[in-house]
Amino acid sequence: MFEVLVFVYENYWRGDACPELHQLERKLSAHGFEPDEIHEALVWLDGLNSAAQNILLPAPSQAEWAPQPSDASMRVFSVAEQDHLGADCLGFISFLESAGVLPAALREIVVDRAMAAPGDPVPLDALKIIVLMVYWRFGHEPDALILDELCGDAEERLAH
């Protein structure tokens, strides 16, 4: 499923540039993806579209996405969320929030879509793809440092 999502992310500039799901299914099939992978990815994308409805976000500037005083509340994850996401994914979500690049509304969509993803716990690389897809759906590109964190291989980085 995640290979299909990465293909969609790389080939369609924004979520609104992506064709309708039935047309996307034909394109994915023509590119050689397995029918089961396509179906799973399309169901996941449909869930992303449903979760994103009625969400209005401000422009993605740091100042507007930074935590507001009214956002000082704390998100408590259920036991099922903790088990399915695992410590690595929960820590990464917390990192993105504290960096001011994942507002509460997007965090909830990320958690919703991660809960719909396979894996127990969800691998951190899969969560990073989910975060990219949520940004993609809203037409926002993360800044270069966050994009590097989402796309880069942490094991290949050199410490300075």
Side-chain angles (χ1 to χ4, degrees):
M1 174 181 94
F2 290 106
E3 289 177 13
V4 174
L5 293 178
V6 168
F7 177 86
V8 170
Y9 179 84
E10 290 176 343
N11 287 280
Y12 297 99
W13 173 247
R14 297 166 40 134
D16 57 3
C18 188
E20 295 291 324
L21 293 180
H22 66 280
Q23 187 179 15
L24 179 60
E25 180 178 14
R26 287 195 309 265
K27 289 184 179 207
L28 293 170
S29 182
H31 276 87
F33 289 104
E34 294 294 321
D36 290 343
E37 286 182 310
I38 294 170
H39 176 73
E40 191 175 356
L42 293 179
V43 167
W44 191 92
L45 283 170
D46 188 45
L48 176 59
N49 289 334
S50 295
Q53 287 180 347
N54 303 321
I55 302 275
L56 297 175
L57 293 174
S61 71
Q62 286 289 3
E64 292 177 7
W65 280 23
Q68 303 296 316
S70 62
D71 292 337
S73 61
M74 183 175 75
R75 170 64 153 89
V76 177
F77 292 92
S78 71
V79 172
E81 290 170 334
Q82 290 175 36
D83 290 344
H84 189 67
L85 296 175
D88 289 342
C89 290
L90 291 172
F92 190 72
I93 291 170
S94 177
F95 160 72
L96 293 175
E97 282 185 288
S98 66
V101 297
L102 189 66
L106 287 186
R107 178 201 59 221
E108 291 307 311
I109 295 172
V110 167
V111 171
D112 174 73
R113 296 293 72 217
M115 292 300 290
D120 220 9
V122 173
L124 182 57
D125 288 340
L127 180 75
K128 290 178 179 183
I129 293 168
I130 291 168
V131 172
L132 279 174
M133 293 305 293
V134 170
Y135 280 129
W136 170 85
R137 171 58 180 81
F138 285 97
H140 295 300
E141 185 173 327
D143 67 35
L145 292 175
I146 297 301
L147 195 57
D148 183 53
E149 186 66 37
L150 291 170
C151 296
D153 186 1
E155 292 179 11
E156 292 180 7
R157 293 188 187 139
L158 295 174
H160 295 285

